Amino acid sequence: MASPRGPQSPRSSPSSASSQPYLSVSVTDPVKMGTGVQAYISYRVITKTNMTEYQGSEKIVIRRYSDFVWLYDRLFEKYKGVFIPPLPEKSAVEKFRFSAEFIEMRRQALDLFVNRIASHQELRQSEDLRTFLQVDEEVMERIRSYETGLFKKKPADLIQIFKDVQSKVTDVVLGKEKPVEESSEDYEKLKHYIFELENHLAEAQKQAYRLVKRHRELGNSLSDFGKAVKLLSACEGDNLGKAFSELGAKSEAVSMKLQKEAHELLMNFEEPLKDYVRAVQSIKATIAERVAAFKQQYELAETIKLKEINLDKLMLTRSDRVREAELEYKELKKESEEATERFEMIVRLMNEEIARFQEQKTLDMGIAFHEFAKGQARLATAVADAWRSLLPKLEACSTT
Amino acid sequence: MMGSENEGFEEAPLHSPKEKSESTLLLHHDLNSVDRHPLSDPLLSPTSPNSNPHHPHDIEPPAYADVIFTPFDSSDINGSGSPLDTSSSSSSPHGFSPSNYSDYIKITVSNPQKEQEPSNSLVPGSNTFVTYLVTTRTNIPDFGGSEFSVRRRFRDIVTLSDRLAESYRGFFIPPRPDKSVVESQVMQKQEFVEQRRVALEKYLRRLAAHPVIRKSDELKMFLQVQGKLPLLPTTDVASRMLDGAVKIPKQLLGDGPAVAPHEAAQPAKGGRDLLRLFKELKQSVANDWGSSKPPVVEEDKEFMEKKDRMQELELQLSNASQQAEALVKAQQDMGETMGELGLAFIKLTKFENEEAVFNAQRVRAADMKNLATATVKASRFYRELNLHTVKHLDTLHEYLGLMMSVHGAFADRSSALLTVQTLLSELSSLQSRSEKLEVASSKIFGGDKTRIRKLEELQETIKVTEDAKNVAIRQYEWIKENNRNELERLDVERKADFLNMLKGFVVNQVGYAEKIANVWGKVAEETSNYVRGNS
């Protein structure tokens, strides 16, 4: 699989200028651990770095999928506004969980995940990343099980946030509350873009997956056809029998080429599309964070207004509670400023991220399209060559 | 949709008359109305000078794309319905036919119309049926005309088919379309009529392709005689019963001439020859379970071997035919999904362009557009590939259908043999009766008037039965000869047709694979900057 692309963050080789900090990670060697229901896959994560925050220049640790999930969650919590690279899905289908293809696809996706983090200006500085890349298995397990419960945002929360976002219209209509969402044109455009993009991409990915299946089906039917034709050749004998037999053999050969290409298509075209979809979904989660942050600073701003009015009232009436109220007000003001700061940082980060995202995706897709076209051309050429080689034999059968 | 292709003179739908020489060959070939037996005629018309039907022209490797695509890039491919709709086009146009065919019969079935039977029932409109226009173009002198049309209904086809079965026993007569009562209820009327029209045309064309049947009176009458079809339906049980009823008392009594000799040689039909059926049944049981061998048996070892081979062939053909269906479906699906993928990318491209904020989006949209265009092109190629594949592999289905005719021809032989055996047994028992009578009457001095009369009648019956037996034997031998010739013809034609099918199939695959490779090669080239090192 090609190394992570992007002009700003290639996987730099260790031999580059030693002054340049580099962090190179790879996820390799999937191994099945345990048995039965408890069984899982463990991966080897190899880190090579010259960054001083790291202990030593090379480290190898063993990690499992849930560790990667932990890392994602931590980064998501800490780096609001940043598009955290997406994780591959948990697989629902039991029998598929340990198929060679699935394991390889997941390994690649995890490798990509960690590499993207290691290439990201902000994320690569993360302490959690260092933890992930360096601590022992047992320590990792302890950390994961302890912190997962505390910090992981429940899916229900995310859904609620989206519900809020979608239901603002209803709220206004029902006169419940004022819409608690940004109303800037840029934001609206971005939100609309991301949500629509997901739909379009999902459709493309669906068709790409189907295309992989079609390759396999065509391969199978060609193979079956070849077998049937071979049986027919036994009936006919002589030249015709020979012709049939040659055709049967060729059908089977072409069938294998189709199966091979199906695999390539899956890895080099369908997976990148899937990855794209995941990335967009990750952005949606970031948008949700932005919405939450906005709501928070907005609500604080509203509360402050009320407090101001109240304070003025108290000052006018020269109440004893003025000092108390003043303190409260100061506290609240500080909170509000912090909330506003947080929100504005998210907005700023997102703007940078979206620009970077678009660049990156153009490159990623360029490569994926290239691989797709190359694979299809390769397949078609091989198929043409295979069938063409049969023609002189068929000629020979009809002239003798 | 099919209507336009059926207006009177039907141009070979896959090429226009202005095409170059090779398509002229194909045009000419197509006019022969020879679907899968492009080479059946030359066997009978050796006048074709430079024809060497079993050695088609060589195919030059580089020219596939041209060879295939000039004749076949037509609206017929893009516009017309399902890829399985092969009615108006010959199924093996790749057959490299000899340069001249001296005679041809081209039959077209078109213009279905509802007609009403002069109704004598109380319910109005209860007796409607569909008629089809059967148009024939031919240069065979026997027809006494070069172009003519008649209106026929499905019932007429059944009659034709039954009469042919009677007259051409031992021949591989193409099976006629089904009556398919169920389908007519389930399908939309229009669809059903169209399906039937297609089937009728195919059937008539097959008949016209058979070297012997095409010259038959039955076919001639069917194609030419205006108005009501003059062929009598033979399965009209009721009238036959009436005819036979007169003869039954005599038959039951076992005396007197039962039937005319030539009728005796025809297979026993239900409703007609009850007694004869019974006798033949008795005979076949005796054949199977009796201790003595019947007087005449199937001795032709060569035939038995061929029969076994036919059985095996049928089995494998059926299998191959099934797999061919599956292959065609898989190719179809591939084309469809490609198309859907292309469409999805086109929508994405449009979306990115509309919403573009960053230049990267526009670049991506442009890349996507190239990809989408190529994908849609490839999809179209797969679909075209499949249309042709269907036509080629149809040869398998055709020959599978032909196996039914082979069964029929072998059945004719068996039943003719059974008739001979029955008559021989009959003769033998009549003769022993006659001997017994003679012995008995010779014991009475001066003769026994009753017995002598009976003896005379018996001698009469024996003579008639003897004649019938001779006719039956001649029939049997004739049928055996027909079997032999047909098997030979089948072998020759099958070999040629299958080889053509294989070649056509492969050339097709090569041609389209090359085209598809081209399309993708361009896109790979256009996107190669993404992988040539890192920016």
Side-chain angles (χ1 to χ4, degrees):
Chain A
M1 177 124 171
S3 48
R5 324 60 163 170
Q8 62 270 43
S9 39
R11 191 203 292 249
S12 19
S13 61
S15 55
S16 60
S18 47
S19 55
Q20 279 275 52
Y22 75 84
L23 178 63
S24 160
V25 192
S26 60
V27 178
T28 62
D29 291 325
V31 173
K32 183 170 173 192
M33 310 287 279
T35 53
V37 197
Q38 307 281 4
Y40 65 93
I41 303 284
S42 73
Y43 304 87
R44 221 195 237 190
V45 181
I46 304 171
T47 309
K48 293 199 176 92
T49 179
N50 70 352
M51 284 164 76
T52 48
E53 299 88 339
Y54 282 81
Q55 311 154 359
S57 60
E58 189 167 322
K59 188 78 194 248
I60 301 178
V61 294
I62 304 292
R63 293 288 177 256
R64 55 186 291 186
Y65 180 76
S66 8
D67 298 329
F68 290 82
V69 174
W70 172 88
L71 180 60
Y72 178 91
D73 290 341
R74 299 294 293 149
L75 294 174
F76 186 75
E77 263 305 306
K78 285 239 174 77
Y79 292 89
K80 295 193 203 275
V82 174
F83 299 161
I84 314 295
L87 277 173
E89 296 80 10
K90 280 175 121 69
S91 169
V93 182
E94 182 55 41
K95 70 170 179 173
F96 192 44
R97 210 152 57 96
F98 294 112
S99 82
E101 203 168 63
F102 174 74
I103 290 172
E104 176 54 20
M105 274 168 33
R106 181 171 264 203
R107 185 203 63 76
Q108 278 186 28
L110 292 174
D111 183 270
L112 201 53
F113 169 71
V114 185
N115 268 284
R116 283 171 171 159
I117 294 172
S119 317
H120 191 284
Q121 263 174 286
E122 320 268 343
L123 298 176
R124 80 205 302 239
Q125 316 287 352
S126 152
E127 195 185 316
D128 293 315
L129 177 65
R130 287 199 287 279
T131 307
F132 175 83
L133 291 176
Q134 297 183 108
V135 303
D136 276 341
E137 242 179 299
E138 300 85 34
V139 177
M140 189 73 238
E141 189 178 338
R142 230 184 304 131
I143 294 173
R144 184 193 356 120
S145 22
Y146 174 72
E147 295 187 350
T148 301
L150 290 181
F151 292 108
K152 189 175 170 71
K153 199 163 220 115
K154 293 194 234 24
D157 295 337
L158 275 172
I159 293 172
Q160 188 53 47
I161 289 169
F162 283 126
K163 280 218 177 94
D164 291 345
V165 161
Q166 312 286 21
S167 69
K168 76 171 177 182
V169 173
T170 338
D171 287 349
V172 169
V173 166
L174 295 176
K176 264 198 221 160
E177 44 177 280
K178 280 198 282 207
V180 209
E181 216 195 331
E182 298 172 63
S183 51
S184 78
E185 199 185 305
D186 284 347
Y187 171 71
E188 286 295 316
K189 199 158 183 230
L190 177 68
K191 199 176 68 156
H192 174 259
Y193 172 76
I194 292 294
F195 276 70
E196 274 299 300
L197 183 63
E198 189 190 1
N199 292 337
H200 283 116
L201 283 175
E203 175 65 21
Q205 184 266 327
K206 185 172 95 171
Q207 298 302 343
Y209 183 71
R210 260 202 214 146
L211 192 64
V212 172
K213 244 188 15 176
R214 298 305 189 204
H215 277 70
R216 293 199 167 128
E217 284 163 6
L218 186 58
N220 285 337
S221 68
L222 255 176
S223 169
D224 289 339
F225 180 68
K227 292 199 185 85
V229 163
K230 273 185 172 166
L231 285 173
L232 204 52
S233 98
C235 274
E236 292 287 5
D238 265 3
N239 289 333
L240 184 57
K242 202 149 153 283
F244 270 130
S245 158
E246 297 278 356
L247 185 86
K250 207 49 92 170
S251 284
E252 291 181 327
V254 173
S255 156
M256 293 204 297
K257 295 194 203 288
L258 275 160
Q259 298 294 359
K260 185 157 171 287
E261 192 55 41
H263 179 77
E264 298 293 313
L265 194 61
L266 183 70
M267 292 298 168
N268 299 332
F269 183 63
E270 195 268 347
E271 254 310 282
L273 276 174
K274 196 86 188 286
D275 175 67
Y276 200 166
V277 175
R278 291 185 197 124
V280 172
Q281 286 166 344
S282 182
I283 295 176
K284 276 167 81 176
T286 306
I287 291 179
E289 287 297 305
R290 175 172 172 152
V291 167
F294 176 80
K295 187 167 178 202
Q296 200 184 48
Q297 64 85 30
Y298 179 83
E299 279 170 352
L300 278 169
E302 292 292 295
T303 313
I304 280 184
K305 284 199 204 123
L306 291 170
K307 286 282 182 212
E308 264 181 21
I309 294 170
N310 195 32
L311 194 59
D312 288 341
K313 230 195 285 175
L314 289 174
M315 281 170 98
L316 230 52
T317 62
R318 286 177 228 261
S319 160
D320 335 315
R321 296 216 301 276
V322 169
R323 213 176 326 135
E324 205 187 305
E326 258 177 1
L327 269 168
E328 253 183 54
Y329 179 76
K330 267 210 191 99
E331 279 278 334
L332 225 52
K333 201 88 202 283
K334 186 159 143 252
E335 263 183 61
S336 170
E337 275 163 18
E338 280 170 1
T340 306
E341 227 178 86
R342 274 199 301 273
F343 170 70
E344 282 172 357
M345 185 171 83
I346 289 181
V347 173
R348 196 177 55 244
L349 276 172
M350 275 186 74
N351 285 337
E352 284 170 23
E353 289 285 285
I354 194 82
R356 207 178 307 159
F357 174 73
Q358 297 289 20
E359 290 283 336
Q360 188 60 58
K361 276 317 170 194
T362 300
L363 286 168
D364 290 346
M365 282 299 110
I367 295 177
F369 295 163
H370 177 79
E371 291 299 318
F372 178 44
K374 204 170 83 173
Q376 290 294 303
R378 181 178 50 222
L379 175 68
T381 307
V383 168
D385 289 341
W387 288 121
R388 200 184 298 115
S389 71
L390 191 54
L391 278 162
K393 296 193 186 130
L394 287 180
E395 275 305 313
C397 286
S398 46
T399 51
T400 42
Chain B
M1 177 179 62
M2 292 309 299
S4 60
E5 292 168 281
N6 288 321
E7 247 89 272
F9 181 127
E10 180 184 348
E11 199 74 41
L14 296 176
H15 18 264
S16 70
K18 309 186 212 122
E19 295 284 350
K20 36 194 182 146
S21 60
E22 51 195 326
S23 39
T24 312
L25 272 184
L26 298 170
L27 172 72
H28 206 178
H29 155 74
D30 186 46
L31 288 175
N32 246 294
S33 76
V34 175
D35 285 352
R36 314 135 286 105
H37 310 294
L39 312 164
S40 56
D41 270 1
L43 295 177
L44 298 177
S45 42
T47 52
S48 330
N50 40 349
S51 64
N52 195 352
H54 306 300
H55 301 278
H57 316 293
D58 285 323
I59 303 174
E60 302 305 331
Y64 299 149
D66 299 329
V67 165
I68 298 177
F69 299 110
T70 350
F72 302 148
D73 263 347
S74 80
S75 57
D76 162 68
I77 291 166
N78 293 329
S80 62
S82 75
L84 299 170
D85 187 14
T86 59
S87 68
S88 57
S89 36
S90 45
S91 49
S92 58
H94 312 276
F96 283 75
S97 54
S99 27
N100 339 295
Y101 266 155
S102 51
D103 64 3
Y104 66 86
I105 306 174
K106 174 77 183 282
I107 302 177
T108 323
V109 176
S110 62
N111 199 251
Q113 270 177 19
K114 229 191 265 194
E115 287 184 23
Q116 195 144 358
E117 197 132 33
S119 177
N120 42 14
S121 79
L122 295 170
V123 182
S126 61
N127 241 345
T128 57
F129 55 92
V130 180
T131 62
Y132 304 84
L133 187 68
V134 180
T135 310
T136 312
R137 272 176 46 236
T138 179
N139 68 353
I140 296 176
D142 303 358
F143 279 93
S146 64
E147 185 167 346
F148 37 86
S149 303
V150 294
R151 282 224 154 251
R152 294 282 179 244
R153 57 185 291 188
F154 188 77
R155 218 158 62 180
D156 298 333
I157 291 275
V158 177
T159 305
L160 170 66
S161 149
D162 289 343
R163 291 307 302 269
L164 285 173
E166 271 188 8
S167 311
Y168 289 92
R169 299 175 72 202
F171 282 95
F172 297 168
I173 307 175
R176 67 155 169 79
D178 289 329
K179 285 182 184 162
S180 55
V181 174
V182 176
E183 279 181 3
S184 70
Q185 316 283 31
V186 169
M187 291 175 76
Q188 296 291 3
K189 187 72 178 177
Q190 217 184 349
E191 235 183 277
F192 176 72
V193 167
E194 175 57 18
Q195 201 184 70
R196 184 157 267 191
R197 185 199 65 77
V198 166
L200 291 180
E201 193 175 80
K202 255 197 177 157
Y203 173 64
L204 289 172
R205 286 183 177 183
R206 286 193 197 118
L207 289 182
H210 191 292
V212 174
I213 290 178
R214 75 207 303 244
K215 303 259 164 87
S216 70
D217 291 331
E218 288 86 349
L219 184 63
K220 282 210 198 84
M221 274 198 259
F222 181 90
L223 292 175
Q224 273 195 301
V225 177
Q226 294 291 340
K228 204 158 167 350
L229 186 66
L231 300 174
L232 292 170
T234 56
T235 52
D236 188 345
V237 175
S239 68
R240 285 292 136 192
M241 275 303 292
L242 281 169
D243 289 350
V246 175
K247 298 190 191 122
I248 281 178
K250 281 213 185 122
Q251 289 181 13
L252 285 174
L253 292 173
D255 291 330
V259 285
H262 73 275
E263 277 190 27
Q266 290 297 320
K269 283 229 162 75
R272 224 206 294 177
D273 309 309
L274 296 167
L275 188 63
R276 189 167 135 217
L277 262 182
F278 178 71
K279 283 189 179 160
E280 286 190 351
L281 179 63
K282 213 169 94 174
Q283 179 64 39
S284 73
V285 168
N287 286 348
D288 290 343
W289 298 105
S291 50
S292 59
K293 251 174 59 163
V296 177
V297 287
E298 185 57 76
E299 283 176 335
D300 196 339
K301 272 220 186 71
E302 204 182 305
F303 172 72
M304 297 307 277
E305 274 170 24
K306 285 218 174 102
K307 189 158 179 231
D308 288 336
R309 257 195 43 211
M310 284 294 123
Q311 240 176 319
E312 181 63 22
L313 181 66
E314 183 176 353
L315 189 64
Q316 297 313 335
L317 262 180
S318 169
N319 184 31
S321 173
Q322 258 182 311
Q323 299 309 334
E325 287 279 307
L327 176 63
V328 158
K329 175 159 193 306
Q331 273 181 179
Q332 179 74 9
D333 287 343
M334 178 71 101
E336 263 175 32
T337 302
M338 274 275 182
E340 305 271 330
L341 181 67
L343 196 63
F345 273 115
I346 286 175
K347 287 197 187 138
L348 243 177
T349 302
K350 188 160 174 275
F351 173 70
E352 288 280 14
N353 271 327
E354 280 170 3
E355 307 271 328
V357 172
F358 298 92
N359 193 45
Q361 287 173 280
R362 294 191 192 92
V363 172
R364 193 177 338 132
D367 290 336
M368 235 178 246
K369 183 138 189 257
N370 284 341
L371 187 80
T373 312
T375 310
V376 168
K377 270 200 199 133
S379 150
R380 220 179 297 137
F381 283 143
Y382 268 109
R383 281 186 245 231
E384 275 179 34
L385 163 74
N386 209 29
L387 273 177
H388 293 302
T389 304
V390 165
K391 284 183 202 139
H392 289 123
L393 296 184
D394 204 45
T395 309
L396 287 170
H397 309 317
E398 294 276 318
Y399 271 93
L400 187 60
L402 199 64
M403 288 294 127
M404 263 173 60
S405 319
V406 175
H407 282 308
F410 288 175
D412 288 340
R413 183 190 183 120
S414 307
S415 80
L417 178 61
L418 187 62
T419 303
V420 167
Q421 289 167 342
T422 310
L423 285 169
L424 281 171
S425 300
E426 179 96 344
L427 204 55
S428 147
S429 76
L430 282 171
Q431 269 161 353
S432 68
R433 263 173 63 191
S434 160
E435 274 166 22
K436 285 203 188 101
L437 258 181
E438 252 178 300
V439 166
S441 79
S442 70
K443 289 207 176 115
I444 298 176
F445 186 72
D448 182 334
K449 273 227 172 69
T450 335
R451 279 220 177 87
I452 288 173
R453 199 173 16 110
K454 273 213 180 133
L455 198 57
E456 279 172 5
E457 283 176 3
L458 204 54
Q459 297 289 5
E460 194 56 44
T461 307
I462 288 177
K463 187 167 171 298
V464 168
T465 310
E466 181 82 35
D467 287 342
K469 177 206 80 172
N470 288 331
V471 170
I473 288 179
R474 279 207 300 278
Q475 257 275 307
Y476 176 59
E477 291 297 328
W478 181 64
I479 288 175
K480 281 209 296 194
E481 185 64 22
N482 294 341
N483 278 174
R484 199 178 358 256
N485 291 335
E486 289 283 78
L487 277 169
E488 235 176 71
R489 180 177 73 91
L490 177 65
D491 275 345
V492 167
E493 285 183 7
R494 189 177 75 251
K495 178 173 166 172
D497 285 343
F498 278 164
L499 279 171
N500 268 334
M501 168 185 82
L502 294 179
K503 264 192 276 196
F505 173 76
V506 173
V507 167
N508 194 35
Q509 293 285 339
V510 175
Y512 278 104
E514 282 176 349
K515 287 218 151 196
I516 290 171
N518 256 345
V519 165
W520 289 120
K522 281 205 198 93
V523 177
E525 184 58 41
E526 284 162 3
T527 52
S528 58
N529 55 300
Y530 286 104
V531 284
R532 223 172 278 149
N534 279 329
S535 43

